[in-house]
Structures are given as C-alpha cells and as structure tokens.
C-alpha cells in the first residue's frame, strides 16, 4: 500500500533537512579551499606570467642618473600610513613600525645610490600624521630630481629593481626631464596615496601646496585621515589635458605598490567583482614593494615577509 501524501511529505522534508547541513558544510569548505587556492595562485602571479611593467626596463642611454630620495615619516614609533589616524587599536599595531622597515629601506637606498630620509621632524600635529607626507615630500623636493614617498608600512621586497626602471615603466622612455610630475598607482579604490613619485617642478610644488590646502578633507578619529580622499578629489578635478601632461598612472599596481592578498571573504568579493584589479595588485614573489595597506598587526607581517625573503635568499640585499 502506498502511503498517503500526508504521510510521505514530512519524511521528504526530513530527508532534505538532513541533507541541508552536510551540503552547506561542503559548500563552505569548498569556498574555504578555493580562498586558499586563490591566495596561492596570486602569490605566484609573476611566475605564471603576470607582468607589472610593459618593458623589461633598462633606462640607460646617456641620460644623467637622477637624484632620488626615498622619503618616509614616523611619529615617535607611531608610523604613518593612510589608515593609521585615530583608532587606538589600529594605531597600536603601528607602534615601532618605522624601526622595523628602516634598515630595509636604507640598505636598498645605499645599494642603489639614493638617499633615504626619515622626515619625522616635519610632523604637523594639527592634523592626523598621514597628512604630513605632503610636507615631507614638499620640503625635500627642492634637493632632488625625484622624491619617492613611502608610507611606513611598506617594504622593498625585490632590491634588484631600480627606481629608474620603475619610472621608465610608467613614462615609457628614459628622459626623466620630459615626464609627468606625479606618478601613482591605482587600487580598488582608485589612486593610492601610500606610495608615489613626485618630480621636482613648479607644477609639483603647486600641486603639493594645493593638496595640503584641502583642509575640508581632514578627518580625525577614523581609520581614514582624509589625505588620500583629498588627492583623489584633486586628481579627479584636473582638466584632462593637465592630467595627461602631469600625472602618470602605473600600468599595474604591482609595479611598485603591491598589497598582500588574504584569503578573506572581503578579498574574495573583490576578486570576483574586480578580478583584473586584484590580479594586477596582489603581492607576488618578485614584486618590488609590498604595502600592508589596511592590515592589522603590521609588525608581524613585516617580520614574516623579511624572514620569507631571507629564506628565498633574496636576503643578501634586504
Ligand atoms: C594654500 O593656502 C595658503 C594659506 O591660505 C595660501 O597662501 C596659498 O596660496 C594656498 N596655495 C595654493 C596653491 O592653493
């Protein structure tokens, strides 16, 4: 005798309820595995054919070597980065950061014939510390052809890459006197103010002054301090002709501002929503510079990356 429908349905429902749990656990585990797989693939992006620069850059060719300063800034152990300002918990993870990255930068600069400048004396305490990068760049620009600004949560991860080759990769030729004045990278949010180049010129000086003057963007007590938003605002407002002449955007973020890709749901969402941006910006072995933008526990990150570089025997120059 076949059971009446009223008797069968509850059993079916029970069975599907029993299936629901293992199925969702399986889906969850699969997603976890593919997060880890994505992280592994992105970490080896360069080995599987990603190019951060259009040319295997060798500027060379009779031009004078430009005078370049790498400038960074820290506030008595509380180092500067776009996302430090305010937020006790966050800024505490910045404590002592400069000390852990300074050796790396100095060694690279000495090897390549650049100056490294810790501009902490220029800190303006009336604003979140991140804003002082503008003052730091502005005041050292007059002594150099180029200033390369680094937030303190960055490390040189491939010391064989020269800054000239990076400039070459953006400008497309080796005559650095005929070049955009501001060289930046773009991430998911557009232009990033954590790492950039400025060329000594009247345009640059005026631009930096204008940037500093964007006081309405100054933000206290948030993870953002407003300097990056102000930069984006100014660049967005430039007439296209001026923008073309004075602002150079790196063809790939990984040319000099790579972010570690963490297997998190947020990263997964970004990977799906903007795969190309993720691909071009994820930190991979061989990249010139890693930037721990928005990450907590930066000191541990830095220790791990340095250790990793030593093990891969890039360490001799790190
Ligand atoms: C910036 O503000 C100062 C003080 O208000 C002003 O003197 C200067 O001309 C401004 N500079 C630019 C480039 O806007």
């Amino acid at each position: 005798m076949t059971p009446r429908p009223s008797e069968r349905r509850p059993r079916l429902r029970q069975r599907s309820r029993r299936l629901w749990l293992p199925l969702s656990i399986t889906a969850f585990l699969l997603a976890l595995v593919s997060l880890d797989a994505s992280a592994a693939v992105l970490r080896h992006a360069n080995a599987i054919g990603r190019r951060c620069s259009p040319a295997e850059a060798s500027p060379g060719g009779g031009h004078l070597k430009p005078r370049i300063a790498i400038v960074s800034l820290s506030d008595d152990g509380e180092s500067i980065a776009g996302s430090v300002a305010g937020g006790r918990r966050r800024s505490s993870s910045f404590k002592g950061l400069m000390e852990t990255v300074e050796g790396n930068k100095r060694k690279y600069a000495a090897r390549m014939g650049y100056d490294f400048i810790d501009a902490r004396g220029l800190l303006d305490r009336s604003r979140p510390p991140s804003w002082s990068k503008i003052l730091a760049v502005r005041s050292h620009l007059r002594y150099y052809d180029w200033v390369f600004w680094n937030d303190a949560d960055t490390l040189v991860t491939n010391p064989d890459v020269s800054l000239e080759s990076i400039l070459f990769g953006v400008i497309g030729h080796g005559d650095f006197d005929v070049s955009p004045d501001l060289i930046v990278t773009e991430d998911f949010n557009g232009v990033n103010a954590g790492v950039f180049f400025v060329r000594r010129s009247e345009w640059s000086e005026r631009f930096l002054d204008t940037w500093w003057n964007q006081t309405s963007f100054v933000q206290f007590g948030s993870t953002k301090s407003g300097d990056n938003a102000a930069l984006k605002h100014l660049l967005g407002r430039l007439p296209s002709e001026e923008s073309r002449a004075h602002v150079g955007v790196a063809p790939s973020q990984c040319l000099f501002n790579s972010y570690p890709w963490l297997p998190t749901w947020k990263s997964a969402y970004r990977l799906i929503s903007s795969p190309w941006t993720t691909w071009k910006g994820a930190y991979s072995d061989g990249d010139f510079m890693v930037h721990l933008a928005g990450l907590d526990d930066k000191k541990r990150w830095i220790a791990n990356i340095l250790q990793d570089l030593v093990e891969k025997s890039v360490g001799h120059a790190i």
Side-chain angles (χ1 to χ4, degrees):
M1 259 182 63
T2 46
R4 271 173 295 156
S6 58
E7 289 170 5
R8 204 180 334 170
R9 236 179 263 131
R11 226 192 293 154
L12 263 178
R13 223 179 287 145
Q14 230 173 27
R15 199 177 301 156
S16 62
R17 213 178 292 144
R18 243 181 278 139
L19 272 176
W20 184 84
L21 188 64
L23 273 180
S24 44
I25 289 175
T26 309
F28 180 73
L29 289 177
L30 271 177
L32 275 185
V33 168
S34 54
L35 274 179
D36 278 339
S38 305
V41 167
L42 289 166
R43 184 62 201 264
H44 296 100
N46 294 334
I48 55 179
R50 183 181 72 174
R51 312 264 309 187
C52 296
S53 166
E56 213 36 78
S58 72
H63 296 292
L64 277 178
K65 186 175 159 58
R67 286 177 49 76
I68 304 180
I70 302 172
V71 178
S72 198
L73 188 61
S74 73
D75 175 13
D76 302 333
E78 307 258 340
S79 302
I80 310 278
S83 54
V84 226
R88 221 157 256 295
R89 195 178 57 80
R90 254 172 182 262
S91 50
S92 70
S93 79
F94 271 75
K95 227 180 171 87
L97 196 60
M98 189 62 164
E99 282 63 32
T100 63
V101 300
E102 193 175 341
N104 165 272
K105 303 280 176 68
R106 284 197 188 281
K107 212 162 170 181
Y108 170 72
R111 181 162 177 259
M112 290 295 194
Y114 315 133
D115 287 348
F116 175 82
I117 297 168
D118 177 353
R120 75 178 75 191
L122 292 166
L123 201 68
D124 182 321
R125 292 185 185 280
S126 69
R127 299 190 190 187
S130 186
W131 278 88
S132 291
K133 68 177 72 174
I134 304 169
L135 302 178
V137 171
R138 175 74 167 90
S139 73
H140 289 285
L141 194 57
R142 74 191 69 169
Y143 307 111
Y144 295 91
D145 299 312
W146 289 90
V147 164
F148 179 42
W149 169 262
N150 289 186
D151 273 359
D153 58 343
T154 59
L155 270 180
V156 174
T157 43
N158 185 349
D160 292 331
V161 177
S162 71
L163 298 180
E164 290 89 335
S165 74
I166 290 169
L167 290 171
F168 184 88
V170 181
I171 301 165
H173 58 74
D175 186 358
F176 297 140
D177 294 333
V178 186
S179 148
D181 299 278
L182 175 66
I183 305 234
V184 293
T185 55
E186 285 178 340
D187 63 18
F188 310 96
N189 299 314
V191 168
N192 176 256
V195 190
F196 57 87
F197 291 84
V198 181
R199 186 171 81 93
R200 188 185 65 234
S201 72
E202 277 174 26
W203 185 91
S204 297
E205 290 179 352
R206 201 179 59 249
F207 185 82
L208 291 167
D209 291 344
T210 309
W211 186 7
W212 178 255
N213 277 4
Q214 303 305 302
T215 48
S216 64
F217 284 87
V218 174
Q219 224 180 326
F220 286 97
S222 151
T223 55
K224 302 209 183 325
S225 47
D227 56 298
N228 204 133
L231 177 64
K232 273 162 58 179
H233 169 76
L234 286 179
L235 292 178
R237 275 184 13 171
L238 280 187
S240 58
E241 212 168 286
E242 184 175 359
S243 181
R244 229 174 299 128
H246 297 281
V247 183
V249 179
S252 292
Q253 191 193 331
C254 60
L255 186 58
F256 62 91
N257 190 13
S258 307
Y259 300 168
W261 195 87
L262 273 72
T264 63
W265 300 115
K266 190 178 172 189
S267 308
Y269 170 74
R270 281 175 168 170
L271 177 60
I272 291 162
S273 61
S274 17
W276 188 232
T277 310
T278 303
W279 173 251
K280 293 199 296 183
Y283 172 62
S284 162
D285 295 328
D287 280 353
F288 168 65
M289 180 165 271
V290 70
H291 180 192
L292 309 173
L295 297 181
D296 286 326
D297 206 358
K298 292 173 189 288
K299 275 178 96 168
R300 195 172 55 83
W301 268 99
I302 284 166
N304 288 346
I305 291 171
L306 285 174
Q307 179 63 29
D308 189 50
L309 292 172
V310 169
E311 278 162 16
K312 295 202 167 91
S313 73
V314 192
H316 63 277
I318 294 282

